[in-house]
Amino acid sequence: MTTTAADLWHHYGRERAATDRSVPETFSWAWSQDGGPGAEALGDLTGLCVGDLGAGSARQAAHLVAHHQPARVVAVDASAARHAMATGLYSGLAPRLHLVHADAVEHLRTMRGSYDVLYSVFGAVDFTDPRDLLPAAGAALRPGGRLVFSTLAHYLNGEPAESEVVHADIAAKTPDGTPATVRRWVLREHLWVNLLDAAGLSHTTVDVLPAPEGGQRTADTLLVTASRK
């Protein structure tokens, strides 16, 4: 069963939100959540307007507001449940943290030339057709602005990333527990580079963050950075 109407992120993160309401002290890009670069991959954020695409419970956004002096971080998520969770956790960081319940592409299309930095940590970049999202992100950046995102280097079962721009259907659940699927794009490095170039973004770099040996979260991560031309 596939559904687009139900909130397929309703159950995600609830256990942690019930026990951990803190602002994270660290920022991690890696799927393993252990090692690799932190927020420094975004560059100096002092006084900048930053957007988190697919922010979920907004933990990364809260960290940036608390520790890196941006003028504003806009945390965007299409899930009503995740937006409500973020509001419950971090509404006290307003107005520097602005929580937005919206589809990432629709939001970006209303924000042309507004952002200095956009980022996604296994967020909207993973779960939105990149042929829609990346051009919208490029247009929403100011000249010279940067897009940084982390995404899976391969599938969680070890299968290689796709060699064409196609999605996979990933298991999910509706709020009442009914099985469903959500689309996820797991692509090879050269496809991301080509898509970013077509979206008006250049100076692309792709770093592989290997999963630690023997860890529980054993997928490698691609950390991708590009700038608006």
Side-chain angles (χ1 to χ4, degrees):
M1 171 185 171
T2 301
T3 179
T4 56
D7 187 343
L8 301 181
W9 300 99
H10 176 85
H11 300 280
Y12 193 80
R14 287 187 174 275
E15 183 175 348
R16 181 179 180 184
T19 60
D20 181 4
R21 304 183 61 83
S22 64
V23 174
E25 291 293 323
T26 60
F27 187 110
S28 178
W29 297 97
W31 181 257
S32 63
Q33 300 179 16
D34 181 23
E40 67 270 14
L42 295 168
D44 183 3
L45 301 180
T46 304
L48 301 186
C49 182
V50 180
D52 184 339
L53 305 177
S57 58
R59 292 185 184 275
Q60 290 96 348
H63 169 84
L64 296 181
V65 167
H67 297 286
H68 294 276
Q69 292 80 51
R72 195 181 203 198
V73 178
V74 181
V76 183
D77 204 277
S79 164
R82 299 288 274 160
H83 173 73
M85 187 181 296
T87 300
L89 289 170
Y90 301 124
S91 60
L93 294 177
R96 290 177 61 222
L97 177 61
H98 182 49
L99 303 169
V100 175
H101 176 215
D103 173 81
V105 174
E106 293 178 2
H107 170 78
L108 290 168
R109 287 173 177 167
T110 69
M111 300 290 288
R112 292 181 66 88
S114 297
Y115 285 108
D116 299 295
V117 177
L118 291 168
Y119 72 93
S120 171
V121 181
F122 303 104
V125 172
D126 276 29
F127 297 99
T128 311
D129 191 323
R131 292 162 293 197
D132 296 327
L133 180 67
L134 297 181
L141 287 167
R142 296 179 176 129
R146 304 174 74 223
L147 171 66
V148 186
F149 62 90
S150 59
T151 186
L152 292 174
H154 53 80
Y155 285 103
L156 297 179
N157 63 4
E159 290 295 318
E162 302 290 347
S163 59
E164 299 180 8
V165 184
V166 296
H167 69 269
D169 291 324
I170 305 299
K173 292 190 295 185
T174 65
D176 66 4
T178 302
T181 59
V182 63
R183 292 180 172 183
R184 184 171 208 161
W185 278 260
V186 181
L187 307 179
R188 298 188 186 183
E189 297 177 36
H190 75 275
L191 293 178
W192 287 117
V193 173
N194 292 342
L195 287 163
L196 289 161
D197 184 69
L201 294 156
S202 62
H203 300 98
T204 300
T205 63
V206 182
D207 295 313
V208 180
L209 310 180
E213 293 185 9
Q216 293 182 342
R217 297 170 66 89
T218 56
D220 296 341
T221 299
L222 297 183
L223 179 59
V224 184
T225 302
S227 301
R228 181 177 171 182
K229 295 177 182 178

